[in-house]
Amino acid sequence: MKSIEHIDPIFERLFSKISPKIANSFTDEQIKAIQRGFGSQVGASHFLDIRVSVPIPGLRFYLVLLAGSERRSQQRLLYEKGKYPLFNTGNIIFLTGFLTILLSCSLTIFPFLWSSLTSLTSISTSPSPTSPTSIPWIFDKSECEHTNRTWRNQKCWDDQHSPMF
């Protein structure tokens, strides 16, 4: 292959599959035109573009998630629908596992969030609950009654104590 500066790895891989006799027949101008044709696909950006290599010992695994406005022609959509069907064994196993994990997480998280929200709502909308509490620093009946508390069982009790205190 002729020396071209800044060769795209995808282009290089595809170009290497062409027999050397044919590849050497291309002029530099033809190769640059083919590169530009490939390059128009490489520069396309997506609204969501996540590409992750998943480190699973013993496996070479990657995950790609792309989303954006649809720019493919109807002909290409039909071709790719036949070439990459949504419902195949691998996709069904992945989607089943993903939905199972999502459901189990939801069943764990939503009740917790719901109880947290309802307890916050009940605290903010209802008068604060009270519970009698003994006051450890008051030791005599007259001082206890002077502070509008109740003397019972040799202790001073505050009936207005809030557990939120």
Side-chain angles (χ1 to χ4, degrees), residues 13-29:
R13 183 173 47 106
L14 293 173
F15 200 78
S16 69
K17 293 181 180 181
I18 298 173
S19 75
K21 182 179 178 184
I22 294 174
N24 287 328
S25 70
F26 289 128
T27 65
D28 285 345
E29 186 178 331

Side-chain angles (χ1 to χ4, degrees), residues 34-148:
I34 294 170
Q35 280 182 311
R36 278 193 303 276
F38 278 106
S40 66
Q41 296 296 326
V42 174
S45 63
H46 297 86
F47 173 74
L48 177 67
D49 189 344
I50 300 172
R51 300 164 192 256
V52 181
S53 290
V54 182
I56 298 175
L59 294 175
R60 293 177 52 100
F61 185 73
Y62 69 96
L63 179 68
V64 175
L65 180 61
L66 299 174
S69 61
E70 182 62 77
R71 295 182 291 227
R72 297 173 293 177
S73 67
Q74 287 296 322
Q75 182 182 6
R76 183 173 169 199
L77 286 171
L78 287 172
Y79 169 75
E80 289 183 358
K81 185 177 182 180
K83 188 174 180 182
Y84 308 110
L86 178 61
F87 297 108
N88 62 34
T89 306
N91 292 353
I92 291 172
I93 290 170
F94 172 78
L95 289 173
T96 302
F98 178 76
L99 292 175
T100 301
I101 291 169
L102 184 65
L103 179 64
S104 64
C105 289
S106 298
L107 292 175
T108 303
I109 293 171
F110 286 141
F112 172 74
L113 290 175
W114 182 256
S115 67
S116 296
L117 288 174
T118 55
S119 68
L120 286 175
T121 315
S122 67
I123 288 172
S124 65
T125 59
S126 67
S128 67
T130 59
S131 59
T133 304
S134 70
I135 310 299
W137 59 88
I138 299 178
F139 300 106
D140 84 21
K141 180 179 178 180
S142 63
E143 188 178 347
C144 179
E145 290 172 348
H146 177 68
T147 59
N148 295 326

Side-chain angles (χ1 to χ4, degrees), residues 131-138 149-150 152 154-159 161:
S131 59
T133 304
S134 70
I135 310 299
W137 59 88
I138 299 178
R149 296 186 175 111
T150 308
R152 215 172 37 241
Q154 303 299 316
K155 290 184 180 178
C156 185
W157 292 89
D158 183 357
D159 293 328
H161 180 75

